[in-house]
């Protein structure tokens, strides 16, 4: 049994949440099938995160580490890393974790830390991405799964899911359509990682040795 796999040789995944946890749920659902990864722990920085209930229902252990108990960002991130490492993960996924992470933390998990962002990066980093997309007049929008690097919402792209912006869309209708794509692409990215099909070349990701931008979004 490898260090980063469970007894069934599935990749051990730790998910970090702050809220609703619908992307966590998509991963939990994927893990129910024939899937090479398993969410083995969920960590929230908020005790009231709805995603904790999803973990409980799925029988996944969870922990709350409240950042308000740590006066300095580095102290919280150190405690967080210590907790995560106690689960011996092969991959850490940010599933709606609303904290900026220190460079030390990000570097500690270099190449095994993923995030999902609700835009087609590099377009619309930061918050309120659906509003940004609507205000810009974009005709296409979507979501991005990427490896995390110290700069915010940057980092090598693994997969993107695209949606058309429809006439009459508001933030809520657009967010709902993007969220459906999020729930498709995050489990796909984790699957590829678990299958060891992803490689990082500098700031670029290859899938099966080909740059990912040559991969059609629905390629399995
Ligand atoms: C998602 O839109 C994700 O892209 C962003 O935060 C939101 C989290 O939603 N990073 P959920 O908690 O997974 O439902």
């Amino acid at each position: 049994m490898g260090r980063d796999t469970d007894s069934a040789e599935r990749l051990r995944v730790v998910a970090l949440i702050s809220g609703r946890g619908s992307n966590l749920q998509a991963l939990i659902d994927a893990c129910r099938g024939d899937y090479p990864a398993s969410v083995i722990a969920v960590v929230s920085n908020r005790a009231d995160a709805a995603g904790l209930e999803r973990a409980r229902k799925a029988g996944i252990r969870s922990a709350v580490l409240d950042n308000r108990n740590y006066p300095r960002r580095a102290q919280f991130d150190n405690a967080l890393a210590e907790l995560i490492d106690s689960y011996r993960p092969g991959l850490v996924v940010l599933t709606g974790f609303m904290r900026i992470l220190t460079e030390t933390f990000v570097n500690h998990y270099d190449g095994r830390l993923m995030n999902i962002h609700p835009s087609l990066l590099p377009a619309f980093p930061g918050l309120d991405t659906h509003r940004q997309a609507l205000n810009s007049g974009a005709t296409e929008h979507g979501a991005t799964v990427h490896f995390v690097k110290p700069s915010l919402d940057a980092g090598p792209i693994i997969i993107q899911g695209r949606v058309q912006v429809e006439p009459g869309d508001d933030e809520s209708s657009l967010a709902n359509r993007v969220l459906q794509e999020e729930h498709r692409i995050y489990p796909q990215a984790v699957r590829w990682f678990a299958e060891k099909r992803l490689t990082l070349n500098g700031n670029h990701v290859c899938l099966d040795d080909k740059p990912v931008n040559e991969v059609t979004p629905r390629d399995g």
Side-chain angles (χ1 to χ4, degrees):
M1 185 169 83
R3 182 183 179 275
D4 56 0
T5 53
D6 66 11
S7 52
E9 292 298 322
R10 302 209 294 176
L11 179 78
R12 296 168 64 87
V13 177
V14 170
L16 306 190
I17 61 168
S18 298
R20 178 178 59 179
S22 71
N23 278 287
L24 166 67
Q25 188 68 54
L27 286 170
I28 290 173
D29 293 344
C31 291
R32 290 210 173 93
D34 175 20
Y35 194 69
S38 177
V39 179
I40 49 113
V42 173
V43 179
S44 175
N45 66 317
R46 299 191 50 129
D48 60 355
L52 288 169
E53 178 62 11
R54 299 180 190 271
R56 195 193 61 75
K57 279 197 181 136
I60 299 168
R61 79 192 119 179
S62 64
V64 175
L65 200 63
D66 192 330
N67 53 277
R68 289 170 301 190
N69 295 334
Y70 298 83
R72 302 177 82 97
R73 189 175 291 278
Q75 289 170 339
F76 173 72
D77 280 13
N78 286 343
L80 182 62
E82 202 171 301
L83 176 62
I84 294 169
D85 287 348
S86 74
Y87 301 125
R88 298 178 294 108
L91 178 67
V92 179
V93 290
L94 305 178
T95 41
F97 189 63
M98 302 304 286
R99 294 273 308 164
I100 293 173
L101 294 159
T102 56
E103 191 165 346
T104 307
F105 181 96
V106 170
N107 288 338
H108 179 68
Y109 295 104
D110 192 29
R112 53 192 182 114
L113 179 62
M114 283 184 194
N115 181 42
I116 188 156
H117 180 79
S119 79
L120 296 172
L121 290 171
F124 315 131
L127 298 173
D128 300 323
T129 56
H130 309 305
R131 191 181 315 161
Q132 290 189 56
L134 288 169
N135 289 346
S136 79
T139 55
E140 198 178 44
H141 187 40
T144 303
V145 179
H146 62 95
F147 285 114
V148 179
K149 293 285 175 185
S151 45
L152 187 65
D153 295 331
I157 290 171
I158 300 166
I159 185 172
Q160 294 186 308
R162 294 168 188 278
V163 303
Q164 294 302 308
V165 179
E166 307 287 354
D169 259 337
D170 58 15
E171 273 185 68
S172 153
S173 62
L174 191 53
N176 283 337
R177 253 186 353 274
V178 170
L179 199 59
Q180 286 176 29
E181 279 301 289
E182 295 188 33
H183 298 164
R184 181 180 70 81
I185 64 176
Y186 220 167
Q188 178 66 83
V190 171
R191 171 184 279 281
W192 284 337
F193 183 89
E195 291 172 341
K196 301 192 186 337
R197 293 168 65 188
L198 298 176
T199 43
L200 251 175
N201 283 329
N203 214 33
H204 297 279
V205 178
C206 288
L207 170 66
D208 300 334
D209 298 322
K210 293 191 207 85
V212 286
N213 57 11
E214 290 177 12
V215 176
T216 62
R218 284 178 190 278
D219 185 1

